[in-house]
Amino acid sequence: MIPKYLYKIAQKLKDSGYEAYLVGGCVRDILMEKNPQDWDMTTDARPEEILAVFPEGKYENDFGTVLLPIRLEKKEGELKGQLQDVIEITTYRSEQGYSDRRHPDSIQFETKLDKDLERRDFTINALALDLTQENKIIDLFGGEKDIKKKIIRAVGEPSDRFKEDALRMLRAIRLSAQLGFKIEEKTKRAIVKLAGSIKFVSKERIRDELIKILASDRPAEGIMLLHDCKLLQYIIPELEQGVGVAQDRHHIYPVFKHNILSLKHCPSKEWPVRLAALLHDVAKPKTRKIINGVATFYNHEHLGAKMVAKILARLKFSAADQARIVNLIKNHMFYYNVGEVSAASVRRLIVKVGKENLKDLIDLRIADRLGSGTPKAMPYKLRHLEYMLEKVQNDPVSVKMLKINGDDIMRILNIPPGPKIGAILDVLLGEVIENPKLNVKKVLEKRVKELNEFDLSELRLRAKEIIEEKREEDDKKIKREHRV
Ligand code: ATP
Ligand code: MG
């Protein structure tokens, strides 16, 4: 499982008079028989000495690390030398002073492996493996035993280690979600005590760890652990407003628990869809109203979309990720009922949500249902929706699919480019969505002349009426029926 080139690199350092070990997460993964994400090697050789042994290496001054490009051995059916990768070789080091509670003020090169292992965060990450001595493991802190017992334990005094670098609190929870390990009691207590120091960690790093938790095999456990460790209130406090907020009808769980269970049951492996599942009902506490003795949450999807846009911007998610997740939240209440919803309505749903997001939206609906604790006969409904989507898939749902384009309109009406052309196309699309049989060049040409009688604002209003408002009418049905 350990690639041959790593043995060669370690042996070459050794032959040049230095020590060399695999170290950190990759050793942990090897002992767990998992494939490491990346390979880290540590040595007593100084960066310039490493470079003297490997002139092809590159010195990364910021991190004091030498990046060594490697050519992976030829695999069956692959071109030779096609795969390129790097391994990081780092000189033994210790770290001093953490005045910003996140980074050491200075680092110092060391000559002993022990010093390098001491600075690492958890016992399971503080193991070294000697490739030149039959893969002997150097384990100064009981990391091997902790791997067997599935425990995440800080190296040394947990409070001290989290005071040095607050990011380690998130790393503990992320590793727990990824590996299925428990955080040892004393380590966990230190996180609870120091949770507030998460403010010293940049939003970008918090976001990255959150993404790893969501993408792990235990995303819901990871978020619950953030909650139990008192960290969630600093990351997404809006979620915690749902704790204990009771719901009626289709739900047996309060809002917070329902959000967590939706994440747990989300069929998608993609973290943005999972994050949408976690956040989809985030506005319920704010929209809750008792009407005739029943809890209602009118418009929680729209307020939710706004709240989620703020949450994601605050956590520095990319614009594309923000748009994708907000779109899912805004549309998660879409109405679909077999026999009741027309093909035109399904086409309008496609226009509103975007073809590429439909699968995610259905996954979100499944997550929502399974997370409600009272799963109804949804699978049939959703299979039917999938069938309908298939059925209308070749129908026109975008201006591009119309049998007429902007140039045609300019020619027919003898007008220059301008906003009116787009507005006419939008009205035509709305009409064709209602009735795809109208998507015939001759018919559209005639209709263009009729529509030319209207001015721009009338055309825009008309387009809005046929696409957006009709879809909203469709969705209002669910509110009548389900009082949400
Ligand atoms: P992954 O599977 O995500 O690569 P990892 O444990 O290997 O997990 P890396 O970020 O690759 O994490 O870091 C490599 C090693 O460096 C860790 O195993 C740990 O020994 C050490 N390390 C990383 N970040 C910290 C930190 N904030 N504090 C102390 N040690 C750290
Ligand atoms: Mg790693």
Side-chain angles (χ1 to χ4, degrees), residues 24-26 28-29 37-40:
C26 64
R28 174 198 75 214
D29 291 341
Q37 297 274 326
D38 40 38
W39 298 104
D40 293 308

Side-chain angles (χ1 to χ4, degrees), residues 227-294:
H227 174 62
D228 293 342
C229 289
K230 312 289 180 224
L231 284 164
L232 191 58
Q233 57 177 324
Y234 300 106
I235 305 174
I236 312 178
E238 295 86 345
L239 263 178
E240 297 203 329
Q241 290 164 3
V243 174
V245 173
Q247 314 192 69
D248 285 314
R249 299 241 164 170
H250 304 279
H251 287 275
I252 60 171
Y253 300 121
V255 174
F256 179 73
K257 187 162 185 195
H258 167 61
N259 275 331
I260 297 279
L261 287 174
S262 301
L263 168 62
K264 186 182 177 81
H265 293 296
C266 181
S268 176
K269 289 209 180 308
E270 291 188 47
W271 69 260
V273 185
R274 291 177 171 192
L275 186 51
L278 175 67
L279 296 173
H280 78 282
D281 276 351
V282 78
K284 276 192 167 174
K286 282 206 159 66
T287 52
R288 188 170 187 272
K289 263 205 193 86
I290 306 288
I291 297 178
N292 298 331
V294 177

Side-chain angles (χ1 to χ4, degrees), residues 435-448:
N435 180 5
K437 290 205 178 83
L438 299 177
N439 196 19
V440 174
K441 190 146 189 172
K442 278 247 151 55
V443 177
L444 295 176
E445 281 173 350
K446 182 161 162 274
R447 186 73 184 129
V448 164

Side-chain angles (χ1 to χ4, degrees), residues 24-25 28 37-38 119-121 125 165 168 171 174:
R28 174 198 75 214
Q37 297 274 326
D38 40 38
R119 72 172 171 98
R120 294 178 181 270
D121 48 7
N125 285 347
D165 179 359
R168 291 172 186 156
R171 283 178 52 88
R174 182 258 285 186

Side-chain angles (χ1 to χ4, degrees), residues 165-316:
D165 179 359
L167 175 68
R168 291 172 186 156
M169 301 189 291
L170 283 180
R171 283 178 52 88
I173 288 165
R174 182 258 285 186
L175 285 165
S176 165
Q178 286 178 328
L179 305 173
F181 282 23
K182 279 214 155 41
I183 302 180
E184 175 269 329
E185 263 320 303
K186 201 171 169 208
T187 303
K188 192 169 171 182
R189 276 204 306 276
I191 298 179
V192 173
K193 191 176 83 190
L194 292 164
S197 66
I198 184 94
K199 65 170 181 247
F200 298 112
V201 180
S202 75
K203 295 284 191 285
E204 288 82 354
R205 285 310 301 262
I206 294 176
R207 172 201 65 202
D208 291 346
E209 294 297 323
L210 186 61
I211 289 174
K212 286 182 187 176
I213 291 170
L214 291 167
S216 77
D217 286 344
R218 299 161 198 82
E221 285 93 326
I223 302 295
M224 272 315 284
L225 201 49
L226 286 176
H227 174 62
D228 293 342
C229 289
K230 312 289 180 224
L231 284 164
L232 191 58
Q233 57 177 324
Y234 300 106
I235 305 174
I236 312 178
E238 295 86 345
L239 263 178
E240 297 203 329
Q241 290 164 3
V243 174
V245 173
Q247 314 192 69
D248 285 314
R249 299 241 164 170
H250 304 279
H251 287 275
I252 60 171
Y253 300 121
V255 174
F256 179 73
K257 187 162 185 195
H258 167 61
N259 275 331
I260 297 279
L261 287 174
S262 301
L263 168 62
K264 186 182 177 81
H265 293 296
C266 181
S268 176
K269 289 209 180 308
E270 291 188 47
W271 69 260
V273 185
R274 291 177 171 192
L275 186 51
L278 175 67
L279 296 173
H280 78 282
D281 276 351
V282 78
K284 276 192 167 174
K286 282 206 159 66
T287 52
R288 188 170 187 272
K289 263 205 193 86
I290 306 288
I291 297 178
N292 298 331
V294 177
T296 64
F297 304 93
Y298 288 104
N299 282 327
H300 75 273
E301 71 275 34
H302 294 117
L303 181 64
K306 281 191 192 135
M307 288 173 67
V308 169
K310 273 200 191 128
I311 294 169
L312 299 180
R314 188 175 74 214
L315 289 170
K316 315 273 185 206

Side-chain angles (χ1 to χ4, degrees), residues 79-91:
L79 292 174
K80 199 169 184 152
Q82 188 187 34
L83 282 173
Q84 205 61 66
D85 211 339
V86 295
I87 143 153
E88 292 190 11
I89 309 181
T90 310
T91 309

Side-chain angles (χ1 to χ4, degrees), residues 2 5-6 9-10 20-30 36-43 65-67 86-91 116 119-120 125 127-129 131 171:
I2 305 174
Y5 58 79
L6 291 174
I9 294 167
Y21 298 89
L22 283 183
V23 71
C26 64
V27 179
R28 174 198 75 214
D29 291 341
I30 289 165
Q37 297 274 326
D38 40 38
W39 298 104
D40 293 308
M41 208 176 263
T42 190
T43 175
T65 296
V66 173
L67 296 179
V86 295
I87 143 153
E88 292 190 11
I89 309 181
T90 310
T91 309
D116 189 86
R119 72 172 171 98
R120 294 178 181 270
N125 285 347
L127 296 160
L129 184 152
L131 293 166
R171 283 178 52 88

